[in-house]
Amino acid sequence: MAKKNKKKGASSLGSDGSIVASNRKARHDFHILDTYEAGIALVGTEIKSMREGKASLVDAFATVDDGEVWLRGLHIPEYSHGSWTNHAPKRARKLLLHRREIDSLVGKVRDGNATLVPLSLYFVNGRVKVELAVARGKQAHDKRQDIARRTAEREAVRELGRKIKGMRA
């Protein structure tokens, strides 16, 4: 049961309905096959740090171990007002998914050479969610084709705008 949620117009700070961190490079490096929304098991100082808008998905990835999905490499810095109760910044965090979603992920990852990549972290009703993608890595020529396609689309839009305004190209 894949949920495809797109957050538009959200601020970068961590309040309800806003994106805390996004992995912009993931869409450049991977073909996104499917997306899932998952909860994350966090401790108190991690939530407080994320409400300050501090988190990084740069090196993050997910693995399936013994029927549980774990998010690894997510960096949440220590809470500035924390004490001895602060968390480890790069610890593995458990993702909360339904059993049928986990089974589906296991099947997709084992069948093809796909991987689990987090795309964004955001708040929904005071709870942190992660948008998790089943993705396949792109080759260098695929990346060049995507760049060329985007450039062609951009030029077409510019040309159409010039024609509407009555300007010569």
Side-chain angles (χ1 to χ4, degrees):
M1 176 181 238
K3 294 185 180 181
K4 297 176 191 220
N5 292 341
K6 300 294 180 198
K7 305 291 182 233
K8 293 185 179 178
S11 68
S12 62
L13 291 179
S15 61
D16 279 341
S18 66
I19 295 176
V20 176
S22 62
N23 191 353
R24 293 173 34 192
K25 192 124 173 106
R27 294 193 189 275
H28 178 73
D29 291 340
F30 297 97
H31 289 289
I32 306 301
L33 305 176
D34 201 5
T35 59
Y36 293 85
E37 182 180 56
I40 310 175
L42 298 173
V43 296
T45 54
E46 289 173 328
I47 292 289
K48 291 178 181 185
S49 186
M50 288 182 74
R51 287 200 190 282
E52 291 180 346
K54 297 178 182 176
S56 176
L57 287 170
V58 173
D59 295 328
F61 62 98
T63 59
V64 181
D65 300 327
D66 299 327
E68 295 179 339
V69 183
W70 293 87
L71 186 60
R72 303 181 190 281
L74 169 65
H75 180 75
I76 302 175
E78 290 184 348
Y79 182 55
S80 58
H81 301 296
S83 58
W84 60 273
T85 59
N86 259 335
H87 61 278
K90 281 217 168 195
R91 72 179 185 90
R93 294 163 177 96
K94 187 175 179 179
L95 294 181
L96 309 173
L97 291 158
H98 291 283
R99 172 59 46 202
R100 63 182 176 275
E101 290 176 325
I102 295 172
D103 293 341
S104 172
L105 286 175
V106 168
K108 289 177 182 179
V109 170
R110 283 192 184 156
D111 288 344
N113 57 1
T115 187
L116 299 175
V117 180
L119 298 178
S120 61
L121 283 170
Y122 50 92
F123 281 91
V124 174
N125 297 329
R127 299 178 192 276
V128 178
K129 303 289 183 177
V130 62
E131 184 180 14
L132 191 66
V134 177
R136 184 170 289 125
K138 285 185 183 179
Q139 301 287 330
H141 60 87
D142 292 332
K143 294 177 188 178
R144 287 192 295 269
Q145 287 173 354
D146 284 348
I147 292 169
R149 180 183 46 78
R150 282 195 305 265
T151 304
E153 287 174 1
R154 192 177 316 118
E155 289 299 322
V157 168
R158 283 182 186 159
E159 186 64 31
L160 183 62
R162 287 185 187 121
K163 285 185 179 181
I164 290 172
K165 293 178 184 175
M167 298 170 54
R168 289 191 175 187

